[in-house]
Amino acid sequence: MKMYNKIRVLLRQYFIPVISFLIIYFLVLYSYIQVKEKTNQQKTEYFETRSYLVKTAVNNRILDYIQILKGGKAFIESSDTITRNEWKRYISSLDVDQNYPGIQGIGYTVFIKPDELQKHINEIRASGFPSYTVTPPGKREIYTSIIYLEPFTDRNLRAFGYDMYSEPVRKRAMERAMETGQATLTGKLTLVQETGDEKQPGFLIYVPVYNSKNIASSDLLTTEQRRNEIRGFVYSPFRSGDLFNALLPARFSDLNIEIYNGEELTKDALLFSTIENGAKKNKGEEFKKYESIHVGGTNWIIYISSKPFFGGRESNDALLILIGGSVISVLIFFIMLIRTEAKRGNRLKQTITDTVTAAIFVINRKGFVTFINPAVTRITGYKPEDFRDKTFYDVMHQSHKGQYKEIDPGRNIYQIILQGNHVHDQEDTLISKDGRLFPALCSANPILENGVPLGTLVEVKDITGEKKLKKLLQRTWKQKTFFWKPCRIKCGLQMETEVLIFSVITGRFIPVILLMNF
């Protein structure tokens, strides 16, 4: 209960500072929330746009590669036979490395029936590759072999003669391309070109080549008819890391990007990731989104998340408003608190000044009165307007000039004021507004600031009554009489009484209690 009363008293005393602080801080919080929401909205919209650009970049790059492969298909279909040098010149003219970085190469694999396998091997060996063979060895119903692959250097030499139809993942994509006549992507796999410790996941794109030019575009042919007319595939192998590192990080440095093959977000399905250690999610991500693309008969899921610095400096605006507004709110609170304390102090001083019985003057260094308390009006009759543009001496003396020839009212205290001296209870004669002279005890205290005098505080007490009483007592003393108060009987033989005795030494009355025994 005491604590509640203390709080209530404090709130009543400091109501304006507290209310001002609460109002200003509420506005700061409101501004912070609004800016935060607006910033988040802008960042969300920006993230959506960036995510769409990632999806579009990936999808368009794959479509670009498909178009390149379709061009290779058209080149092969334009002639019954093409040589290795013709294929090399055609691929070199595309300037793929410069225009489409990330592609591992562009090749051509032929479809081979079992009864034509040895003839095929002999033809390739006769063209300058005596150790050529189709790998892996073994009997199969259908064989394929990579006979052209540019650039025909480094890693790509390992793929020469490889039967992609012998591997299940590649086989599914090749059959889908053969049966539909459309470009097809494989699932995630490891390329035969991979060597050493820097292995990357990869995939391939196949475009079927038929013996007849119109088979691929015809919707009337059956799956069996397309199988019978298949000639081979124009294809490209891709190392996912090389492809997407050339495409994404430089343009989307503020995003984490992961690309998954299929419908599941597992480590085994991960094709590419800008996050170290792959599919490990960043707990600090603010925005995230799943984008899905379907291209070449394959689904890819792109998981996109924001990095900590996403949105740049703009994201700090709300925090700056909160911190700056809080500091300003506290400063305003303390300013209001100081002003309130000053007003309380001034009110207290004003109350003391108004209730004190002595007349108080504040006089500047030039002798002009700058303040009087109500007691001045009660004692002298002068009001504040009487001192306007007049010195203390002007009011006390010149307003009644010539009325008193031998008396100079206020002269003594005025000289002390101008000299800046300190005096206590100096007797002087002053004059009231109605022209009445009265004796007064005057005290003067210089007002200093950093040692520099600014003016004087003058206290005046009207001692007219004391003067009269003093004369009366002096006269009574000469007559050997006292002032007796009514006495009371303490007991049968004792009486107590109180008398006032005037001290000639101090000039004051001293109360004395007398005990008289009978």
Side-chain angles (χ1 to χ4, degrees):
M1 190 65 180
K2 291 182 179 179
M3 181 62 68
Y4 170 75
N5 290 333
K6 289 182 179 179
I7 294 174
R8 186 174 63 180
V9 170
L10 287 174
L11 288 177
R12 187 167 58 246
Q13 290 177 345
Y14 304 108
F15 178 78
I16 293 179
V18 171
I19 290 298
S20 299
F21 172 78
L22 292 177
I23 291 174
I24 295 172
Y25 198 70
F26 171 78
L27 294 176
V28 170
L29 290 178
Y30 178 78
S31 300
Y32 167 77
I33 293 171
Q34 291 297 311
V35 173
K36 186 72 173 177
E37 289 180 353
K38 185 176 180 180
T39 301
N40 287 339
Q41 182 181 356
Q42 291 174 343
K43 289 175 67 175
T44 301
E45 294 173 355
Y46 181 62
F47 178 77
E48 292 290 334
T49 301
R50 299 284 285 167
S51 300
Y52 176 76
L53 291 176
V54 171
K55 174 183 176 180
T56 303
V58 173
N59 188 72
N60 289 347
R61 180 55 61 91
I62 299 300
L63 292 178
D64 289 341
Y65 290 139
I66 290 176
Q67 287 302 117
I68 293 173
L69 297 181
K70 286 183 177 180
K73 170 189 173 181
F75 177 73
I76 292 174
E77 289 178 343
S78 66
S79 176
D80 291 337
T81 59
I82 60 171
T83 65
R84 186 177 305 278
N85 288 332
E86 289 174 336
W87 182 255
K88 181 178 181 179
R89 284 195 302 269
Y90 171 73
I91 299 303
S92 297
S93 68
L94 298 177
D95 200 10
V96 175
D97 290 339
Q98 183 67 29
N99 297 325
Y100 303 97
I103 194 170
Q104 188 70 23
I106 300 176
Y108 176 57
T109 183
V110 295
F111 227 69
I112 309 169
K113 294 179 181 180
D115 56 353
E116 298 176 347
L117 178 61
Q118 191 58 48
K119 178 184 176 182
H120 165 77
I121 293 175
N122 292 336
E123 290 177 350
I124 298 299
R125 286 178 177 177
S127 66
F129 299 94
S131 61
Y132 170 80
T133 189
V134 176
T135 58
K139 293 184 178 181
R140 294 182 286 277
E141 293 182 359
I142 293 294
Y143 295 89
T144 66
S145 177
I146 300 172
I147 59 174
Y148 303 147
L149 181 58
E150 294 297 333
F152 195 51
T153 57
D154 301 329
R155 296 174 183 269
N156 287 342
L157 294 175
R158 293 171 55 87
F160 184 47
Y162 178 67
D163 180 5
M164 293 184 286
Y165 204 73
S166 65
E167 193 276 319
V169 176
R170 293 173 174 84
K171 181 179 180 179
R172 284 195 296 270
M174 296 170 79
E175 286 183 337
R176 191 165 64 248
M178 178 174 54
E179 293 172 358
T180 63
Q182 303 298 319
T184 303
L185 275 71
T186 68
K188 177 185 176 182
L189 49 75
T190 301
L191 301 176
V192 294
Q193 290 96 324
E194 291 293 345
T195 58
D197 297 330
E198 298 181 0
K199 290 185 178 181
Q200 299 178 13
F203 64 94
L204 299 100
I205 303 177
Y206 295 101
V207 173
V209 180
Y210 299 95
N211 290 317
S212 176
K213 297 180 181 180
N214 298 323
I215 287 180
S217 59
S218 176
D219 294 332
L220 301 178
L221 295 177
T222 63
T223 300
E224 189 63 28
Q225 288 174 315
R226 284 198 174 97
R227 282 180 172 272
N228 293 333
E229 292 293 326
I230 192 68
R231 181 176 174 182
F233 300 90
V234 178
Y235 84 101
S236 279
F238 296 90
R239 301 181 80 209
S240 299
D242 293 347
L243 170 63
F244 295 118
N245 276 323
L247 176 64
L248 299 176
R251 293 176 57 190
F252 305 98
S253 60
D254 54 349
L255 298 174
N256 291 315
I257 302 171
E258 300 173 15
I259 301 176
Y260 296 86
N261 178 76
E263 302 295 336
E264 296 182 357
L265 275 65
T266 62
K267 190 171 183 179
D268 291 337
L270 184 65
L271 277 173
F272 171 77
S273 176
T274 58
I275 303 175
E276 191 176 353
N277 299 325
K280 186 177 180 180
K281 300 294 183 296
N282 180 12
K283 295 182 180 180
E285 60 197 18
E286 184 178 3
F287 302 98
K288 58 185 178 180
K289 185 178 179 65
Y290 295 92
E291 294 283 5
S292 179
I293 63 173
H294 183 81
V295 61
T298 300
N299 288 322
W300 281 355
I301 295 177
I302 306 175
Y303 176 75
I304 307 167
S305 60
S306 61
K307 290 184 177 180
F309 56 84
F310 181 78
R313 294 181 59 186
E314 182 181 349
S315 60
N316 295 325
D317 290 348
L319 182 61
L320 291 175
I321 289 175
L322 180 61
I323 295 175
S326 300
V327 171
I328 292 173
S329 299
V330 172
L331 288 177
I332 292 177
F333 171 74
F334 279 108
I335 290 173
M336 297 292 290
L337 187 65
I338 292 171
R339 286 176 59 87
T340 300
E341 283 294 318
K343 288 181 179 179
R344 290 181 66 240
N346 290 336
R347 284 197 299 268
L348 180 60
K349 293 176 182 178
Q350 187 65 42
T351 301
I352 295 173
T353 303
D354 291 346
T355 56
V356 71
T357 57
I360 295 176
F361 299 83
V362 176
I363 302 171
N364 64 20
R365 295 183 62 186
K366 295 182 179 180
F368 290 93
V369 178
T370 59
F371 170 81
I372 63 172
N373 70 336
V376 172
T377 304
R378 291 198 306 269
I379 295 173
T380 67
Y382 293 111
K383 296 180 179 180
E385 54 267 22
D386 296 323
F387 293 94
R388 190 174 295 129
D389 299 327
K390 294 180 181 179
T391 65
F392 178 81
Y393 183 69
D394 290 339
V395 176
M396 289 289 123
H397 178 73
Q398 293 186 359
S399 58
H400 300 280
K401 190 173 182 180
Q403 186 173 352
Y404 303 98
K405 296 180 180 180
E406 299 179 357
I407 300 176
D408 193 359
R411 180 69 179 179
N412 295 335
I413 190 63
Y414 187 66
Q415 290 297 325
I416 293 173
I417 292 170
L418 293 180
Q419 294 168 6
N421 295 330
H422 173 83
V423 68
H424 180 69
D425 284 352
Q426 174 178 293
E427 191 170 326
D428 200 351
T429 301
L430 302 181
I431 189 168
S432 63
K433 189 174 182 179
D434 59 8
R436 175 182 59 86
L437 293 173
F438 63 92
L441 284 180
C442 299
S443 298
N445 293 287
I447 301 173
L448 303 177
E449 184 175 281
N450 299 324
V452 178
L454 302 179
T456 304
L457 178 67
V458 178
E459 181 183 6
V460 175
K461 299 178 183 177
D462 184 1
I463 57 173
T464 301
E466 292 186 14
K467 284 281 187 179
K468 290 181 179 179
L469 185 57
K470 181 178 179 181
K471 290 179 181 180
L472 176 61
L473 289 176
Q474 286 175 340
R475 192 167 55 250
T476 304
W477 177 262
K478 291 178 182 180
Q479 297 174 1
K480 307 299 183 182
T481 59
F482 300 94
F483 286 94
W484 295 84
K485 290 186 66 175
C487 61
R488 61 180 183 272
I489 298 175
K490 298 284 287 184
C491 59
L493 301 174
Q494 190 180 66
M495 183 176 68
E496 180 184 287
T497 187
E498 182 179 348
V499 298
L500 289 175
I501 299 176
F502 181 78
S503 173
V504 179
I505 298 174
T506 63
R508 296 183 180 276
F509 299 99
I510 303 173
V512 177
I513 296 176
L514 298 178
L515 292 177
M516 293 177 285
N517 295 313
F518 297 95

